[in-house]
Amino acid sequence: MIRFYFTGQRSFANRGCEAIVRSTVGLLHQAFESVQILIPSDNQTRDSAQWPDAAGKGVRFVPAYFPFWSRYWVNLQRLPFAFLKKAGWPFIIPRSIRQTFSQIDAVLSVGGDNYSLDYRLPSPLLGLDQMAMDTGKPVALWGASVGPFEAEPDFVPVIQKHLARMRLIAVRESVSEFYLGDTLGLKNVLRMVDPAFTLVPEKTDLRPFWPDKTDSGLLGLNISPLLERYRKGQDDLIYEIAHFIKFVVNTLDLSILLVPHVIESDGSTRNDDAAYMQAVLQQTGTMHGRVKMMDPRLNAAQIKYVVGHCRYFIGARTHSTIAALSSGVPTISIAYSIKAKGINKDLFGHLDYVLETPQLSAASLQDRMKLMIAGESSIKSHLERKMGTVHRQIETGVHRLKEMIHSTESAEN
């Protein structure tokens, strides 16, 4: 049996994290005869309920390592002192975590974009992955977007050295591949795609939340409160989205399903898509049943099933768009970081179906929507052809992962 530990994972509240975990577990089962996967969780009861058959797939939820002082430390590292940037994670990892790591064969560092500056310096994750490497465990950064780090120049040599120690960095798009290879000079990089492209949809009942009129088609729409961070000083986003929704229903005669993809379980609304889009519904109403919201309790595989029944999709959360693209649904990606640009560049060879967050408005959404409608048939045909390449890239990534495991076993023997 091969035992894996997934660092970078803490919660299924973000369905994108869940999608990466579920799909990767499926790929590991295809690659190895027998596996056990330890999944860190802030709330093991909640996450296991969201994936009730996880145990049958060799998954065991374990307590996540994220001590209360982590937030204080990463905030302290924002201060303009070089020694703080270079300190990484100077704390001792608890014995319980070290004992767990002594029983595993390899670490997959997942999460999508943890190794970036989107959430400040990734020091706690760096500490865990470094501990694994220090104790001889092979570490692979799996299906990720990485960097850039130049906004924190004193941190660049730290992260460069850290990433160079990894046995494999399987990135999900070419922007990260170019950055790691050409800017940081790393040689352990492989371009794959996000493993969530292989997530298997789980059938669910659409009737409780499906709009009343869908004969002309349905637009799935995901909007995140995260967008507000990148639109400071601009027009009210909720107003702009509400105005766009009215245009879609009244002018294009399409119905709309709001699709939350990050749902906080602790009652917080700061990063909760459902709470944020509820404010949109308050401005538009249901428009005679033409605008509704998906049940926010659905898991990642069920959401992919829902999104696959949409005619078009527009999404801010990266994995909401991956669910759509991998289902062959024409999609506009609202980009707030490199990941949406890289994924679209690799799939289409251009960024025509990307809308950058600072340009987000009712008018820009209308323009991109019209472009997507005009190219609907060609987009669908292109995505269908492209999925063969996507799966071959993932197969290559899994093959490299198997080589990493087998070379470690040979060295130990």
Side-chain angles (χ1 to χ4, degrees):
M1 177 179 288
I2 308 297
R3 294 177 174 85
F4 293 90
Y5 187 103
F6 285 10
T7 58
Q9 170 60 33
R10 288 177 51 207
S11 172
F12 281 177
N14 186 324
R15 303 303 194 264
C17 297
E18 180 193 351
I20 292 174
V21 169
R22 279 179 175 252
S23 54
T24 299
V25 168
L27 293 170
L28 293 178
H29 274 282
Q30 294 174 24
F32 301 97
E33 289 185 9
S34 179
V35 294
Q36 183 182 65
I37 304 103
L38 303 185
I39 308 297
S41 171
D42 287 338
N43 188 326
Q44 296 161 255
T45 301
R46 178 203 61 209
D47 288 348
S48 59
Q50 198 163 310
W51 193 5
D53 58 343
K57 299 180 183 299
V59 169
R60 180 159 63 91
F61 291 99
V62 297
Y65 174 64
F66 195 79
F68 71 89
W69 60 83
S70 299
R71 289 186 175 88
Y72 298 106
W73 175 244
V74 296
N75 279 322
L76 185 64
Q77 287 184 304
R78 299 174 70 186
L79 295 175
F81 301 117
F83 75 94
L84 287 173
K85 315 295 184 183
K86 296 176 181 179
W89 186 251
F91 308 103
I92 297 174
I93 306 293
R95 178 180 296 179
S96 59
I97 301 293
R98 287 184 278 126
Q99 287 178 337
T100 298
F101 272 55
S102 70
Q103 300 167 11
I104 61 172
D105 298 294
V107 168
L108 294 189
S109 192
V110 299
D113 55 2
N114 286 327
Y115 273 106
S116 72
L117 297 180
D118 288 356
Y119 316 104
R120 306 191 178 108
L121 297 188
S123 300
L125 177 58
L126 186 147
L128 275 179
D129 288 345
Q130 182 172 294
M131 181 197 68
M133 291 186 282
D134 287 346
T135 55
K137 303 298 180 182
V139 176
L141 180 51
W142 183 251
S145 295
V146 184
F149 300 103
E150 277 63 30
E152 296 283 5
D154 293 313
F155 182 67
V156 172
V158 177
I159 194 66
Q160 184 178 29
K161 180 180 179 181
H162 175 78
L163 293 172
R165 294 183 65 197
M166 289 186 170
R167 296 285 292 277
L168 173 66
I169 301 177
V171 295
R172 62 184 174 185
E173 31 74 18
S174 57
V175 175
S176 292
E177 179 190 30
F178 181 84
Y179 172 73
L180 291 170
D182 286 45
T183 303
L184 296 188
L186 300 181
K187 306 299 183 183
N188 54 347
V189 181
L190 169 73
R191 174 144 66 96
M192 200 175 68
V193 296
D194 194 299
F197 272 89
T198 67
L199 180 65
V200 178
E202 179 183 324
K203 187 174 182 179
T204 190
D205 188 2
L206 304 176
R207 292 172 297 179
F209 52 80
W210 211 242
D212 294 339
K213 181 179 182 296
T214 58
D215 50 311
S216 299
L218 183 69
L219 169 67
L221 180 62
N222 166 260
I223 300 296
S224 159
L226 185 63
L227 299 175
E228 297 282 3
R229 185 191 307 175
Y230 302 90
R231 299 186 74 258
K232 291 179 180 177
Q234 299 189 46
D235 293 336
D236 177 41
L237 179 57
I238 290 177
Y239 170 82
E240 295 292 322
I241 298 300
H243 189 69
F244 170 68
I245 286 174
K246 292 173 183 177
F247 164 80
V248 171
V249 173
N250 295 328
T251 303
L252 301 181
D253 195 30
L254 297 169
S255 293
I256 290 182
L257 180 68
L258 301 177
V259 180
H261 214 256
V262 173
I263 301 93
E264 298 288 357
S265 59
D266 59 1
S268 169
T269 60
R270 183 179 59 86
N271 194 37
D272 191 296
D273 294 356
Y276 190 75
M277 288 192 288
Q278 190 63 45
V280 175
L281 271 178
Q282 290 174 358
Q283 286 211 15
T284 64
T286 66
M287 301 188 74
H288 304 289
R290 301 284 300 272
V291 182
K292 292 188 178 181
M293 187 183 298
M294 183 196 77
D295 184 347
R297 296 169 296 180
L298 299 187
N299 65 38
Q302 292 167 330
I303 292 174
K304 184 168 183 177
Y305 178 82
V306 171
V307 169
H309 282 74
C310 297
R311 182 175 178 182
Y312 308 106
F313 193 81
I314 297 176
R317 299 288 186 180
T318 299
H319 281 91
S320 73
T321 64
I322 288 175
L325 291 165
S326 59
S327 301
V329 177
T331 300
I332 298 296
S333 300
I334 300 173
Y336 54 86
S337 69
I338 64 168
K339 50 191 175 182
K341 297 177 186 177
I343 291 168
N344 273 265
K345 182 71 173 178
D346 295 342
L347 279 178
F348 296 106
H350 57 72
L351 301 180
D352 293 353
Y353 306 122
V354 173
L355 179 57
E356 296 202 44
T357 301
Q359 283 75 54
L360 185 59
S361 67
S364 63
L365 283 166
Q366 290 175 24
D367 290 342
R368 284 299 197 282
M369 185 74 197
K370 292 174 183 176
L371 181 68
M372 180 167 59
I373 291 173
E376 177 180 4
S377 60
S378 62
I379 294 171
K380 291 175 72 69
S381 298
H382 178 80
L383 288 174
E384 184 177 0
R385 293 193 301 269
K386 199 68 178 179
M387 285 307 107
T389 302
V390 164
H391 285 277
R392 284 192 294 274
Q393 285 182 308
I394 290 179
E395 288 171 3
T396 300
V398 172
H399 179 71
R400 287 285 297 275
L401 188 62
K402 289 176 69 175
E403 288 182 339
M404 181 186 87
I405 298 297
H406 294 325
S407 64
T408 302
E409 290 177 332
S410 298
E412 291 175 349
N413 294 331

